[in-house]
Amino acid sequence: GHDDFDTGGKRGRKDLTVRLVSSLDAVARFLSNMAVSDTAAESDTTHPVLDPLLERIVRPSSSQSGDKSSADRLQFAEMKKTALRIVTWLLSPSPSGAGGTASANVGGSLVQRLKPAYSKRVRLAACLALKHAAVNLVSEKKSSSARVPETIAASAVPFLLATVLEAEKERARDEPPTRLAVAAVDALLAVTALGAAGASASASAAAAREVCVIVRSWWR
């Protein structure tokens, strides 16, 4: 949108927007055509779009990344913001997003990455992405369908609860909750809020009550 990048006035900006939308549509078509079975999703098979996005959401440990300058940190923050937006767009069932098969494909793969079999870093990224999508899609008032599909939200709840309970078992009484546990709680409350208005209201309420009991113990 800056003038120094705009060589063609409004027409130039419109052309750039069309090209961007076409690129995103190409991603959606690619995901829609992928035949990822449940068995493959549970294995170590990487998702060609989701996994690189999750890599941009959680910074590697200092031992892996080394000392980073403020410019590097700013660049990572921008990549994280972009990755969260793209995952949210891919999960959207609305006409403005990927929708249909692509949404189910990405959503199913994202839920798989909440399982204890995956590393804590991958699960943390998945929690952050799911929470971001649940909050931001609901806040878009343009369409009542602009929300994370309830089937995806409901299937994520058991794995989010398992992550919180796992962290609680490992946590000493006087230690603060881990970043992963907090992210899992955030994501769980976001997706149970979606389910509370849908067909899974009873299960969502039960999960929300359970996690609230845990959270309450963090502040004795």
Side-chain angles (χ1 to χ4, degrees), residues 21-171:
V21 172
S22 297
S23 297
L24 292 175
D25 285 343
V27 173
R29 286 194 301 273
F30 172 72
L31 292 174
S32 298
N33 292 330
M34 286 180 61
V36 179
S37 66
D38 292 338
T39 302
E42 292 178 357
S43 70
D44 293 331
T45 304
T46 57
H47 193 288
V49 175
L50 179 62
D51 287 324
L53 290 172
L54 293 180
E55 276 291 315
R56 302 296 189 273
I57 293 175
V58 178
R59 182 190 297 278
S61 64
S62 56
S63 60
Q64 293 175 296
S65 59
D67 293 327
K68 294 292 185 180
S69 66
S70 58
D72 290 331
R73 288 192 292 270
L74 181 61
Q75 183 183 29
F76 180 84
E78 288 298 320
M79 287 193 300
K80 175 181 177 179
K81 186 187 300 182
T82 301
L84 287 171
R85 286 176 173 173
I86 294 176
V87 173
T88 297
W89 175 81
L90 289 169
L91 290 176
S92 172
S94 67
S96 61
T101 307
S103 176
N105 180 300
V106 176
S109 296
L110 183 62
V111 169
Q112 292 295 326
R113 279 143 185 78
L114 296 170
K115 288 185 173 183
Y118 284 88
S119 70
K120 291 182 178 181
R121 181 168 177 249
V122 170
R123 283 187 283 163
L124 175 59
C127 287
L128 295 173
L130 182 61
K131 181 247 184 176
H132 187 273
V135 171
N136 287 280
L137 283 177
V138 170
S139 66
E140 294 176 0
K141 306 288 185 170
K142 298 176 183 177
S143 170
S144 59
S145 64
R147 58 172 56 208
V148 173
E150 191 176 332
T151 53
I152 295 174
S155 60
V157 168
F159 302 133
L160 292 169
L161 270 176
T163 292
V164 178
L165 293 173
E166 174 194 82
E168 284 298 286
K169 288 179 181 178
E170 297 176 354
R171 182 176 70 91

